[in-house]
Amino acid sequence: MNNQTVMTDYLLAAIQGLKAAGAKRAVISPGSRSTPLALLLHRDPEITCTVAVDERSAAFFALGMSKVDLQPTILLCTSGTAAANYYPAVCEAEATNLPLIVLTADRPPELRGVGAPQAMDQQNLYASHVKKMVEMTVPENDPALLRYSFWQAATCTIEAQKQPKGPVQINFPLREPLLPDFSRQCSMQQDVSYLAPQQELSAEMITQLAPYFDKKGILIAGESLTIEEAQQLLAFSEKLGWPIVGDPLTNLATAGTKVGTFISQADLVFPQLTSAFQPEVVVRFGRLPVTKNVLLWLNKAADTTTWLFVDPSGQWQDQLHRANYLIEAAISAFVAAITQLPIVKHTAWQQQWQALQARADQVIAASPQLQQWDESSAVRLLQQCLPKEAQILLANSNAIRFFDRYGSKTSSTYRVYGNRGVNGIDGLVSTVAGIASASQKPTYLLIGDLALYHDMNGLQLLRQYQLPVTIILLNNNGGGIFSFLSQNTLEPNDFVPLFGTPLYLEFQKVAALYEADWHTPTSLLEFQTILTETSQQPRFQIIEVKGEQKDPVNTWQALQQQFSEAGAQQ
């Protein structure tokens, strides 16, 4: 048999292994060395393919797809620096436990290290950021090697889906000619299944934990929760009479339920807490929320406080190093087990926290600064106008913090996403494109001008696939996150070029380039009108909210002062 036939049989076996283990979609970054894999995936009726030319954008698009349903997404590129451009999204996938199957085409062994073009060391390219890396053999098609090809692809896909989920890399060295033989059919008929271990709490563990739920405690949630998980935790909070804290990505504010004591203004509330709010027990789910004031407060917890860390992935990412109990269990399993206990609700403790949250709600609602048109008030209004069943991706830096500070619990049910694994501002437009593509729902993106600039290539995916994504662009000419930090004390000659980083971009021209509708409202009423029209007719558009970097700082400082004064009057 010739090389074309051998290569085709070998790669068809690998693709069959990917499918058998649950991979049903692929994002392809076109290139030469990956030609046979790209063509065979693209022609496979059981694989839904998306073509994204820019590798960094493609990888974040795949990441966004896996965010929606936590299912594996195949990511394919050619050899050389193409694979290196996947690196940021691979790091984010590893940090947020998302199953990416990264297929990297490579030069064969005889072309490595000898000056051949587009050749670099792709083995272990992603180092510890992938759960597993496999260097495939050069294609052969005897039965043993076909089973090997199937098995490596299948087990890598399974590994990506095992807890903790994460990315894997399969490196394919391929010889020319690179066009496959389309007359060949896969001869592999093997099935493969992975049965996940049960994570129910044992009766012994429940008995051991029971005494802690007779005490005053607090629930702290981080990471991205599903709406269902958020509803379970809110019901748990209500049964215990304990407050629950979490940032917007937990969906606690948008789970559509009125039960539970959710502290939605943690950034405002926690610096004001007295010793009367000291918990005896802290139960944590996942990472810490984005709110730094929660971290500072937890760091001051008494040594007598008992810490329970619930983590279905078993990774124990406890940056506070305080956990007394490490509980590897799904949220649903943990809540169901503890709820069966004869718990006495801590009503007085609950009311104490509810009063503090009510004060925060009143101060925010009455704040004159939030009645004026600027970035902060626009974000608050956005939360109030998002339609039921919508979804929104929050960019890092100011976007997620404004959403956290000015939001409140709502009866509307919408899903909130973010890239908070390594907190980068790259790839966010591409990520939201992947979310919109995988979910087929009207989607929103709240993002700053600096983050949008970092991923303008992602706008091409929105244009190319006609995805109805509304981008709310907070444009204060540079982002403004450092205006909240100690760097803001620097002289302008230092601060502006290094931390203010003005771009002076005209985003109306950017919108025109990618054929997006563009709006620049000048009042809250005009902004609300645009959002109302969007909910009725979703479309690809950019709504630019212009502001000054100092404005959000002034608004936040005024709000903190108003909250403090309201407490003094009580």
Side-chain angles (χ1 to χ4, degrees), residues 255-270:
T257 176
K258 296 182 179 180
V259 302
T261 301
F262 174 52
I263 307 302
S264 57
Q265 266 74 46
D267 215 9
L268 195 61
V269 165
F270 272 68

Side-chain angles (χ1 to χ4, degrees), residues 283-299:
V283 181
R284 284 189 49 203
F285 301 89
R287 298 188 187 196
L288 289 172
V290 66
T291 310
K292 189 173 183 178
N293 283 324
V294 173
L295 179 149
L296 296 174
W297 181 78
L298 289 171
N299 258 330

